[in-house]
Amino acid sequence: MSDTSKTISKIEIRGLRKSFGSNEVLKNISLDVAKGGVVALIGPSGSGKSTLLRCINLLVVPDGGSVRVGDTRFAFGDGSKLPDVRTLAKFRATTGMVFQHFNLFPHMTTLQNVMEGPVTVRRMAKADAEKLARAQLAKVGLAEKADQYPATLSGGQKQRVAIARALAMEPDVMLFDEATSALDPELVGEVLSVIQQLASEGMTMVIVTHEIAFAREVADRLIFMRDGVVVEEGPARQVIDNPSEAATRAFLSHFH
Ligand code: ADP
Ligand code: MG
């Protein structure tokens, strides 16, 4: 048998369509993320970035097209049967998602927040879940904050806990939706450096971000979206330094 693991992408999206009422938000989107690849997704507000990310882990159910992560593929539209709730839950657990707002449980300590998914969704024994959770907290540099409550942490620390919580599910891919947009400027760097570390360890990721310099550094590919379509796609440095589309140039000029 030939080894296809290097040539087959980890995430494969084909012909994705999504409307909310008469608002056609995603119009025939296709995208590939290689195993261990990092794709940055940029574009103006309202262009459909969050909806696309949510379609990748099926938090939003597409109207048409297909979504594959690893070996699991779902097709939508044209009489395709919608996946049942259990199948969806299992699939979502393989795709870690980090949002702009961290949504930590306020009544649980940092450690309890990170243990929650492994215990309730993965049915891990508490002792094993705690070991895993402590390891993930250490990974994001917060081992010593295990017993503190979210309210006592800075925004950057809360977002790192949210990343540790996603990692504790041992996902195949990580999806970041403007993970640093709600942070004070001086707290952005500590979160970006955790994302950078994940990239260097070979985590497959899609990152929606307005941090263009960071995208240039950490992403191997970049997608510029506008009005629900992919306007331009290519190697991150090439697209940022030398965009071929006027719309991409116009968007990037806001960041200089
Ligand atoms: P972006 O993340 O690029 O800012 P979004 O994917 O959030 O874009 O939104 C794209 C469009 O879809 C917007 O017009 C937004 O109002 C609409 N939209 C997103 N989510 C919903 C929803 N749950 N219900 C209705 N409209 C939505
Ligand atoms: Mg968004």
Side-chain angles (χ1 to χ4, degrees):
M1 255 179 17
S2 63
D3 176 18
T4 53
S5 62
K6 287 189 187 65
T7 52
I8 288 185
S9 55
K10 188 80 179 180
I11 301 176
E12 182 192 270
I13 307 288
R14 290 290 175 269
L16 201 73
R17 296 179 181 283
K18 180 67 188 180
S19 296
F20 294 108
S22 60
N23 185 9
E24 202 183 350
V25 172
L26 299 177
K27 306 165 184 169
N28 193 18
I29 302 272
S30 295
L31 96 94
D32 286 277
V33 187
K35 188 170 188 294
V38 179
V39 170
L41 192 55
I42 65 169
S45 177
S47 55
K49 304 180 300 294
S50 291
T51 304
L52 174 55
L53 218 56
R54 285 158 181 266
C55 281
I56 296 176
N57 79 346
L58 303 185
L59 269 177
V60 166
V61 179
D63 299 330
S66 65
V67 172
R68 181 173 63 75
V69 176
D71 297 328
T72 311
R73 181 179 178 276
F74 298 102
F76 302 91
D78 292 334
S80 312
K81 202 166 142 273
L82 286 181
D84 63 66
V85 174
R86 274 191 58 195
T87 308
L88 277 180
K90 200 172 147 220
F91 180 71
R92 283 185 194 130
T94 67
T95 55
M97 183 120 168
V98 176
F99 301 91
Q100 185 173 345
H101 298 286
F102 339 106
N103 308 320
L104 298 176
F105 299 114
H107 60 291
M108 292 184 184
T109 65
T110 293
L111 180 68
Q112 288 166 338
N113 265 280
V114 180
M115 284 175 63
E116 180 69 10
V119 169
T120 61
V121 181
R122 300 179 66 198
R123 307 260 172 231
M124 280 177 80
K126 278 231 164 111
D128 295 336
E130 179 173 338
K131 217 171 138 199
L132 174 64
R134 287 192 187 278
Q136 299 307 337
L137 283 172
K139 191 181 178 83
V140 301
L142 292 174
E144 79 287 4
K145 303 286 184 191
D147 297 323
Q148 287 189 213
Y149 286 86
T152 69
L153 303 178
S154 72
Q157 290 170 337
K158 284 183 206 170
Q159 191 59 298
R160 283 148 67 199
V161 174
I163 294 171
R165 184 177 55 176
L167 291 173
M169 297 301 283
E170 298 182 292
D172 276 350
V173 307
M174 286 285 284
L175 310 173
F176 290 89
D177 194 357
E178 296 195 27
T180 60
S181 293
L183 299 177
D184 292 333
E186 73 273 20
L187 304 177
V188 167
E190 65 190 68
V191 174
L192 293 183
S193 71
V194 169
I195 299 174
Q196 175 113 50
Q197 182 195 332
L198 292 175
S200 68
E201 290 170 3
M203 177 64 84
T204 306
M205 300 195 280
V206 182
I207 303 172
V208 174
T209 185
H210 293 300
E211 301 285 340
I212 302 298
F214 175 71
R216 188 181 179 282
E217 210 50 48
V218 80
D220 24 63
R221 297 191 69 77
L222 185 121
I223 292 174
F224 172 63
M225 260 180 91
R226 197 184 60 175
D227 295 336
V229 300
V230 173
V231 173
E232 182 164 356
E233 188 198 346
R237 286 175 185 215
Q238 182 188 307
V239 176
I240 291 169
D241 296 346
N242 198 6
S244 56
E245 298 293 324
T248 316
R249 257 196 306 280
F251 177 74
L252 288 171
S253 72
H254 297 303
F255 296 91
H256 294 147

